[in-house]
Amino acid sequence: CCTVRGDLADALDRLARQRDAGEIAFDHVLIEPTGLADPGPIVRTFIAGSPLQARYFLDGVVTLFDAVNGPRTLSQAVEAQAQLAYADRVLVTKPDLLDGAAAVDAVIATVSAANLVAAVAAIDLVTAPWDEMFDKLLSLRGYQFDRVVFAPAVTDGNRVEHTQAVGSVMFSADTPLDGPRLKAALAAIDARYGERLWRIKGVLAIHGVRSRIILQGVQGLLQSQASTPWRMFEPQRTQLVLIGRELDRDWLLQRLGECLAAPADAAVHGVPMPRLP
């Protein structure tokens, strides 16, 4: 992990210095790890207060999900589960090998249920033009601090088996949260799950804070930043998604529900999310 982050940081630093010297020119850097690599160390390289932040920003993580073999791989490889959990965009490949559009939609629904913050779409890598490919690979804005986009909710018609592989839990509240209680709750969640909690992402309404707080988290490393202010009479609604392995939905919702600034007046909603086979 440390070797990967160190080598990557050195390589990116060399590229930046060559760019500054006019030796090379580039607008984006695309990092492709090996097939079963854990994206965590790469992501942490960019959000851990590294000097790289002065020259680069992390746009997002793209995961390719094999429509035919993906479910089986997920049941066998934790690294594959982590790749899906970290993704800001999932491209479902080999859709032509499935039996019709309904089968493709079922795979997309399964992936969307496991990762509520990822944009999911099917793509044929053989026939897709390059402009479409780059459109889906770039400008993800997955780690931005001005807004968070959640995937569409899974409809009742999309049936997904519940397993212990990887899944999402969404916490939402219509009452602002107490900042110190939330900090304690996130610490307790990290202590319980550790590396099994791959991603946290959400928009927070904090009591006494005029602006939305955008929260981005990777394996216990959390970053928060103030975004746009809440407008007068605008409902201050918290939406927080946790993605990980073997998550106890009821415990998480209870722990976060205890963070409400005014529990008696709160309306808390827990959305159960199916897990992948």
Side-chain angles (χ1 to χ4, degrees), residues 180-194 222 251 255:
R181 290 184 203 166
L182 177 62
K183 184 177 180 179
L186 292 174
I189 292 170
D190 178 63
R192 174 167 178 168
Y193 290 104
L222 295 177
W251 183 85
R255 196 70 181 84

Side-chain angles (χ1 to χ4, degrees), residues 11 46 82 96 154 159 169 180 208 232 267:
F46 292 94
D96 56 308
V154 179
R159 300 184 62 84
V169 174
M232 188 175 297

Side-chain angles (χ1 to χ4, degrees), residues 244-261:
R245 180 179 175 85
E246 299 176 348
L247 300 180
D248 185 334
R249 169 185 170 270
D250 293 336
W251 183 85
L252 288 169
L253 294 179
Q254 179 180 354
R255 196 70 181 84
L256 292 168
E258 294 170 353
C259 302
L260 296 171

Side-chain angles (χ1 to χ4, degrees), residues 3-275:
T3 301
V4 169
R5 291 176 61 187
D7 290 346
L8 176 61
D10 290 343
L12 290 171
D13 181 64
R14 287 195 301 271
L15 284 174
R17 284 189 278 107
Q18 288 178 284
R19 184 174 184 264
D20 292 343
E23 298 173 6
I24 57 176
F26 58 87
D27 300 305
H28 305 270
V29 177
L30 213 58
I31 301 170
E32 182 184 7
T34 56
L36 285 180
D38 180 358
I42 298 175
V43 174
R44 289 174 66 92
T45 299
F46 292 94
I47 67 172
S50 166
L52 289 175
Q53 291 180 316
R55 296 178 177 269
Y56 300 92
F57 70 91
L58 180 61
D59 185 41
V61 177
V62 179
T63 295
L64 302 184
F65 187 90
D66 187 316
V68 178
N69 301 304
R72 182 174 67 254
T73 303
L74 280 170
S75 66
Q76 300 170 353
V78 175
E79 293 86 355
Q81 298 165 12
Q83 289 182 8
L84 181 57
Y86 282 115
D88 299 288
R89 177 166 291 159
V90 181
L91 300 180
V92 177
T93 63
K94 304 180 183 177
D96 56 308
L97 299 184
L98 296 182
D99 187 18
V104 176
D105 291 341
V107 172
I108 292 176
T110 298
V111 174
S112 297
N115 185 331
L116 288 176
V117 297
V120 185
I123 189 168
D124 187 337
L125 298 179
V126 177
T127 61
W130 277 108
D131 58 347
E132 179 183 352
M133 283 296 302
F134 280 115
D135 182 60
K136 295 186 182 305
L137 289 174
L138 306 177
S139 300
L140 305 182
R141 302 181 69 189
Y143 284 84
Q144 61 191 350
F145 282 95
D146 58 347
R147 64 172 186 154
V148 172
V149 177
F150 298 99
V154 179
T155 64
D156 293 337
N158 296 322
R159 300 184 62 84
V160 183
E161 295 296 327
H162 291 62
T163 74
Q164 298 299 311
V166 57
S168 295
V169 174
M170 172 177 277
F171 167 81
S172 60
D174 297 325
T175 296
L177 306 180
D178 179 84
R181 290 184 203 166
L182 177 62
K183 184 177 180 179
L186 292 174
I189 292 170
D190 178 63
R192 174 167 178 168
Y193 290 104
E195 293 185 356
R196 286 187 293 151
L197 183 60
W198 288 305
R199 188 85 183 268
I200 300 178
K201 189 172 185 177
V203 180
L204 309 178
I206 304 298
H207 180 68
V209 179
R210 293 185 57 192
S211 300
R212 295 168 175 80
I213 301 298
I214 306 297
L215 182 69
Q216 300 273 12
V218 175
Q219 287 185 338
L221 180 62
L222 295 177
Q223 281 190 336
S224 62
Q225 184 169 312
S227 180
T228 55
W230 299 102
R231 291 175 294 180
M232 188 175 297
F233 306 118
E234 179 184 11
Q236 297 186 17
R237 183 174 178 81
T238 289
Q239 287 186 292
L240 183 65
V241 171
L242 303 96
I243 307 174
R245 180 179 175 85
E246 299 176 348
L247 300 180
D248 185 334
R249 169 185 170 270
D250 293 336
W251 183 85
L252 288 169
L253 294 179
Q254 179 180 354
R255 196 70 181 84
L256 292 168
E258 294 170 353
C259 302
L260 296 171
D265 300 326
V268 180
H269 314 285
V271 182
M273 288 301 150
R275 293 175 174 150

